[in-house]
Amino acid sequence: MQLYRWRAISSGGKIHKGQYFAEDEAQVVHFVHANYGFVTEIKTVEERESLLTCFKLRRNFSNQERAIFFRQLYTLLEAGISIVKAVEMATSRLSEKYKPVCRQLTTGLCSGQPLSQALKFQPEYFSKMAVAVVAAGEASGQLNQVLKALADFYQQQDKMIKFARNVCVYPAFLLVLSFFTLLFFSVKLLPMFADLYQSLGVKETDSLRFLLFCADFLQEHTVALSCVLLIVGKVILAYRKKLISLLWDLPGLKNIRHTFLEVRFEKLMALLLQSGIPLPEAIIHSSAAVEDEAFQEQAKAFSESVIRGIGIAEAASQAEGIFSDLSIEFLQVGEHSGNLPAMLAESARVQEQDFFAQLRDLKAVVEPALILLIATVIFGVIILIMAPLFSLMTNLPEYS
């Protein structure tokens, strides 16, 4: 898919211009000619990645907004409203910054495109999985039920992500609060102790001199350090997905991440199979939405094993790193009963409960550990600062 910038002129002489995702210029010409008039210019839009792009806010649908959008479409279509009118009415429920996306969908539908094709032309907002599911629903005549299933899927994904985020909020708050507390102590209070020791003629320890050097450095370069922190924070925000993936690879978190990926993979497979997509193709589409290279490689091997005629449960057990032992048991039941989508959905439900339990256990361990660590650091800093004063007090005649 390529983004094209086009200009056109209508039969009445009015000039129109815009952007459109298409596979080639012929599709752009067909779209513009059907909706606006005669094409006068078509140019490809090259996306340039640079440091400045990190500071540009990227619009995207959240899982909650996707769930609202697809559920609205399902409800309106069930009421007998046309797909074009349903998209227009669903647009009013989204915030203003997402309305251009839906207007583009409406334009594509008015030009005769099916919903799946209109979604496909906006890959920044609608994944390949969603396009494949909608296309399968259109082919099988079950578009309404597919839209409802998509809404349920995104609602569950939003629930899981919010739960994981809430688990991280308190530890993150503790770290940020302790950082600013130490910063305030170093900049405001530490110089007061330094002046006191100097007036009393107390010899400063090496550790205290190092803390004073850090405090002076912070005071002298406050503006420069603030700018550096702002840039670093923005870069971290831009590359947060990569950083989070590295964080999840830590030994204590790897099992939790695998459970999350497994739940998402099984839910996607169940959704695609219910939509009428063949199992090998459903495996590939589901793995693409997981966004993990190792997981995708194993899923590809799983799909190839199924194509070669190997049993589903056996092929799943050969694909290491995808399914847990419990999930393979559910696959065996689904394979023998002929109800694989339902068994995948049930396995995902059980694994999801396990995921929530693992996060709660992690939170119960991390929070006390962070409090203990922060208390130890603060206590250590206080000891370093007060050490010269303790030395002075012990050398007083009255103390002896």
Side-chain angles (χ1 to χ4, degrees):
M1 300 291 291
Q2 173 66 46
L3 181 62
Y4 292 89
R5 183 180 292 114
W6 56 265
R7 291 172 62 90
I9 185 170
S10 64
S11 57
K14 186 176 180 180
I15 297 177
H16 302 271
K17 59 182 179 179
Q19 295 181 349
Y20 190 71
F21 275 102
E23 295 180 356
D24 51 36
E25 292 187 5
Q27 286 188 351
V28 183
V29 172
H30 176 75
F31 166 75
V32 175
H33 184 68
N35 295 278
Y36 297 99
F38 300 98
V39 179
T40 59
E41 182 183 19
I42 296 177
K43 290 183 178 180
T44 59
V45 179
E46 299 294 338
E47 297 183 358
R48 298 179 180 179
E49 293 290 337
S50 64
L51 183 61
L52 294 177
T53 59
C54 297
F55 294 88
K56 183 181 179 181
L57 293 177
R58 297 181 179 181
R59 298 181 304 177
N60 200 355
F61 283 138
S62 66
N63 286 327
Q64 182 65 26
E65 286 164 329
R66 288 191 181 99
I68 292 173
F69 176 74
F70 286 117
R71 196 173 299 280
Q72 285 292 315
L73 284 185
Y74 160 73
T75 304
L76 295 171
L77 291 177
E78 281 287 301
I81 298 175
S82 66
I83 183 66
V84 177
K85 187 64 177 177
V87 172
E88 292 177 349
M89 295 177 67
T91 303
S92 62
R93 299 298 301 270
L94 296 174
S95 58
E96 189 65 31
K97 62 181 179 179
Y98 300 117
K99 290 184 178 180
V101 181
C102 297
R103 293 193 190 102
Q104 188 79 359
L105 288 179
T106 303
T107 303
L109 293 170
C110 291
S111 66
Q113 296 175 355
L115 178 60
S116 59
Q117 191 71 9
L119 296 175
K120 183 180 179 181
F121 284 151
Q122 302 199 64
E124 293 182 343
Y125 304 99
F126 301 101
S127 64
K128 293 181 180 179
M129 180 276 299
V131 174
V133 171
V134 172
E138 291 171 339
S140 61
Q142 298 180 354
L143 179 60
N144 292 10
Q145 298 304 317
V146 164
L147 292 175
K148 182 178 182 297
L150 271 174
D152 292 338
F153 168 76
Y154 283 120
Q155 189 70 43
Q156 288 297 320
Q157 289 297 300
D158 182 70
K159 177 183 175 183
M160 291 180 65
I161 292 174
K162 283 183 177 178
F163 186 87
R165 191 175 296 159
N166 290 337
V167 169
C168 299
V169 165
Y170 185 66
F173 172 76
L174 284 178
L175 290 174
V176 172
L177 181 62
S178 60
F179 172 76
F180 282 105
T181 301
L182 287 174
L183 188 64
F184 174 79
F185 193 82
S186 301
V187 174
K188 295 297 183 181
L189 299 182
L190 193 58
M192 296 172 57
F193 282 95
D195 294 339
L196 175 63
Y197 293 152
Q198 187 175 6
S199 63
L200 295 175
V202 179
K203 184 179 179 181
E204 299 172 350
T205 63
D206 293 338
S207 301
L208 182 58
R209 278 196 291 270
F210 175 75
L211 291 178
L212 290 172
F213 170 77
C214 294
D216 293 338
F217 184 82
L218 288 174
Q219 287 181 329
E220 293 174 3
H221 303 86
T222 302
V223 177
L225 290 174
S226 299
C227 294
V228 170
L229 285 176
L230 180 62
I231 295 173
V232 170
K234 194 63 181 179
V235 171
I236 289 174
L237 183 64
Y239 294 97
R240 61 187 180 276
K241 289 186 177 180
K242 293 182 180 180
L243 295 174
I244 291 173
S245 64
L246 293 175
L247 180 65
W248 281 119
D249 286 335
L250 295 175
L253 303 177
K254 201 167 185 177
N255 291 335
I256 298 178
R257 179 173 183 266
H258 179 268
T259 303
F260 176 79
L261 294 179
E262 185 178 355
V263 169
R264 187 171 189 180
F265 181 70
E266 290 178 352
K267 283 187 175 183
L268 287 173
M269 277 188 61
L271 176 59
L272 293 170
L273 291 174
Q274 288 171 354
S275 304
I277 295 178
L279 178 58
E281 187 176 347
I283 295 171
I284 298 300
H285 282 304
S286 301
S287 65
V290 171
E291 298 179 353
D292 182 87
E293 293 183 1
F295 203 100
Q296 290 174 359
E297 288 296 325
Q298 291 298 324
K300 183 178 179 181
F302 177 35
S303 176
E304 292 173 351
S305 298
V306 172
I307 293 174
R308 291 197 303 268
I310 300 176
I312 298 174
E314 183 181 353
S317 61
Q318 292 177 359
E320 300 178 357
I322 296 183
F323 296 103
S324 63
D325 294 337
L326 180 63
S327 297
I328 292 176
E329 292 179 5
F330 275 100
L331 288 175
Q332 289 176 341
V333 175
E335 184 179 7
H336 289 98
S337 64
N339 198 8
L340 185 60
M343 288 297 100
L344 280 169
E346 181 64 20
S347 175
R349 186 187 67 81
V350 174
Q351 296 283 346
E352 186 177 34
Q353 293 177 351
D354 184 49
F355 172 75
F356 290 149
Q358 289 178 351
L359 283 181
R360 283 191 290 267
D361 293 341
L362 179 65
K363 182 180 180 182
V365 173
V366 169
E367 288 181 359
L370 276 177
I371 293 175
L372 180 61
L373 176 63
I374 292 169
T376 303
V377 172
I378 294 176
F379 181 74
V381 172
I382 293 175
I383 291 297
L384 291 176
I385 293 174
M386 301 298 294
L389 185 59
F390 291 152
S391 177
L392 176 65
M393 293 175 61
T394 56
N395 291 328
L396 291 175
E398 292 82 357
Y399 187 84
S400 303

